[in-house]
Amino acid sequence: MDHTNHVRLTSYELTPDVLEGATVYGADDSTVGTVDHVHGAGSSAAVVIDVGGFLHIGAKPVSVPIADLDFMRNEDGEVHAVTTWTEDQLKAMPEHTD
């Protein structure tokens, strides 16, 4: 997927209502996870990503700083994120628990 024409979200749009459920793509443009939920707000927020599994069954939740994700909308208005993390790197992170 070519993200160059996608519109970056503003800081005001970085809210749980907008981000939860967004697909997260890795550096090689493969799907690495889905945003489960968000802790905090603004640039200090943490995003919990469900990594691996199938249809969220067996997925591992991991927490990453929101600054590690570039959130944007595609031509259809769907929100997604791009990160430099690979799925294997995310899977190696400690499991997030609420």
Side-chain angles (χ1 to χ4, degrees):
M1 178 183 303
D2 181 9
H3 302 282
T4 56
N5 292 325
H6 296 173
V7 179
R8 278 18 180 212
L9 298 186
T10 67
S11 59
Y12 301 107
E13 294 177 287
L14 299 178
T15 64
D17 288 343
V18 173
L19 304 182
E20 289 174 1
T23 300
V24 180
Y25 295 96
D28 63 354
D29 213 31
S30 65
T31 301
V32 296
T34 304
V35 175
D36 183 65
H37 61 280
V38 179
H39 289 285
S43 61
S44 63
V47 177
V48 178
I49 302 172
D50 285 337
V51 181
F54 179 72
L55 299 175
H56 299 287
I57 298 171
K60 178 182 178 180
V62 298
S63 179
V64 298
I66 199 165
D68 288 356
L69 301 165
D70 188 10
F71 283 98
M72 59 193 77
R73 288 184 197 280
N74 65 16
E75 294 86 355
D76 297 325
E78 296 174 7
V79 174
H80 61 282
V82 177
T83 185
T84 58
W85 295 99
T86 66
E87 185 173 5
D88 288 339
Q89 289 172 320
L90 290 168
K91 284 181 181 178
M93 292 181 175
E95 184 170 346
H96 174 79
T97 56
D98 282 321

